[in-house]
Amino acid sequence: MTTAPVARTTTAPVPAQSTYQTRVADYWNAEENPVNLELGKIDDLYHHHYGVGDADWTVLDEPDPGLRRERITAELHRLEHTQAELLASHLGPLTPDDRVFDAGCGRGGGSVTANLRYGCHADGVTISAKQAAFAGEQARKRGIDDKVRYHHRNMLDTGFESGAYAASWNNESTMYVELELLFAEHARLLRRGGRYVVITGCYNDTYGRASREVSLINAHYICDIHPRSAYFRALAANRLVPVHVEDLTEAAVPYWELRKRADHLVTGIEDTFLSAYCNGSFQYLLIAADRV
């Protein structure tokens, strides 16, 4: 059993990063996308990822334009939170004394979800100073900032204590870094028997090279989507042994079908995701692995 240190590390300097990572930080420091902000305003849980599960299509039948907009927004948020809860369900069993690490935490919704579920301590790391400050303020408003802390740091080199974490995860943030470096840091931070979970989009090796749709997604988010096989190679190389693998591709389609109908939230990438899912070149995976 591990406990969180008393000292706060939120304002620690960010370790050295590449020119590319600096561009990513600049992107997220400037980002004010309604599809991220409007959904989070519903309950102050800001998720920077997509949703899974069956959608309530009756929201599209709402005759009042304003109410229709509100219902669509709420339904998309529900699907995104369902995804966050799914990831959190694979982290346990955890106790209130355990520490968890949220790599690429965005505006902090995942760390809050884990804390609400387990009562655990959480450290969220983002390369965006703006996101870290925003997430920290949300934790203070909830009165959980004694347990949930956010740090402006590089998830490849956090400076946190080795073996201090019972669980860790990435939720749609692995495409911004080299997997070998990322998983080496997770393996360092996790105690033996600790659990690592990732939900990510990856391109399907059996399709061949990355498809046109995958290239468009890369350009849209200035990221570099990895092939599916690369995850399992990098996990194995860093003492992270998969115990559960789940293909969430089919479960993700309703979210994107609904989002393309949300005129106030569309970003122009919706049809690309749907095409990539449907032609088999792109997959949405959950992988849970134990640190051995």
Side-chain angles (χ1 to χ4, degrees):
M1 182 179 296
T2 53
T3 57
V6 174
R8 294 173 181 268
T9 54
T10 303
T11 56
V14 180
Q17 59 196 42
S18 66
T19 301
Y20 166 71
Q21 287 178 309
T22 300
R23 287 190 59 209
V24 171
D26 290 343
Y27 173 89
W28 288 110
N29 282 330
E31 184 268 338
E32 293 285 344
N33 198 317
V35 79
N36 290 324
L37 294 174
E38 293 303 314
L39 275 63
K41 289 177 182 177
I42 292 173
D43 57 5
D44 288 332
L45 278 172
Y46 290 83
H47 298 302
H48 280 64
H49 54 72
Y50 311 128
V52 295
D54 294 329
D56 177 6
W57 299 108
T58 66
V59 299
L60 298 175
D61 300 327
E62 174 58 52
D64 180 83
L67 187 55
R68 181 178 187 271
R69 172 174 172 157
E70 290 178 9
R71 290 185 62 191
I72 291 174
T73 302
E75 181 61 5
L76 288 171
H77 182 63
R78 184 188 69 81
L79 294 172
E80 290 191 2
H81 189 65
T82 297
Q83 190 262 37
E85 289 284 5
L86 175 64
L87 188 154
S89 71
H90 288 277
L91 297 174
L94 296 171
T95 74
D97 291 321
D98 284 326
R99 293 176 65 190
V100 299
F101 170 51
D102 182 358
C105 63
R107 287 187 172 94
S111 294
V112 175
T113 300
N115 171 264
L116 292 176
R117 187 183 188 95
Y118 300 106
C120 56
H121 299 263
D123 286 300
V125 164
T126 171
I127 207 167
S128 163
K130 183 178 179 180
Q131 286 183 342
F134 182 96
E137 180 59 27
Q138 294 304 116
R140 284 188 287 276
K141 286 180 179 179
R142 286 180 174 271
I144 58 173
D145 54 314
D146 60 327
K147 279 201 153 187
V148 179
R149 292 171 288 272
Y150 298 96
H151 313 269
H152 178 213
R153 293 193 175 202
N154 189 331
M155 64 181 169
L156 299 182
D157 183 14
T158 64
F160 294 153
E161 180 185 355
S162 297
Y165 292 87
S168 65
W169 70 90
N170 285 92
N171 198 346
E172 293 185 19
S173 54
T174 52
M175 62 285 298
Y176 289 102
V177 294
E178 297 176 56
L179 293 180
E180 292 79 5
L181 298 177
L182 175 66
F183 293 163
E185 182 68 351
H186 279 286
R188 184 185 71 80
L189 293 173
L190 286 170
R191 66 192 186 197
R192 183 178 290 271
R195 172 66 56 83
Y196 171 70
V197 182
V198 58
I199 293 183
T200 187
C202 55
Y203 77 77
N204 184 358
D205 302 69
T206 63
Y207 181 90
R209 301 291 294 175
S211 66
R212 175 178 179 273
E213 289 85 359
V214 170
S215 296
L216 289 171
I217 295 169
N218 280 337
H220 185 85
Y221 292 109
I222 54 171
C223 64
D224 186 12
I225 293 167
H226 304 290
R228 180 179 60 191
S229 61
Y231 283 87
F232 297 96
R233 285 197 303 270
L235 288 168
N238 288 285
R239 303 175 64 88
L240 296 167
V241 179
V243 294
H244 179 79
V245 179
E246 188 172 351
D247 187 345
L248 299 174
T249 306
E250 185 176 346
V253 170
Y255 169 86
W256 287 100
E257 291 281 8
L258 181 60
R259 184 165 138 177
K260 71 179 286 188
R261 304 285 295 274
D263 295 339
H264 60 299
L265 297 174
V266 293
T267 63
I269 200 65
E270 290 77 15
D271 282 328
T272 302
F273 269 87
L274 287 167
S275 295
Y277 285 147
C278 292
N279 68 25
S281 66
F282 190 56
Q283 292 179 303
Y284 198 50
L285 289 187
L286 180 152
I287 306 170
D290 286 346
R291 165 68 164 88
V292 299

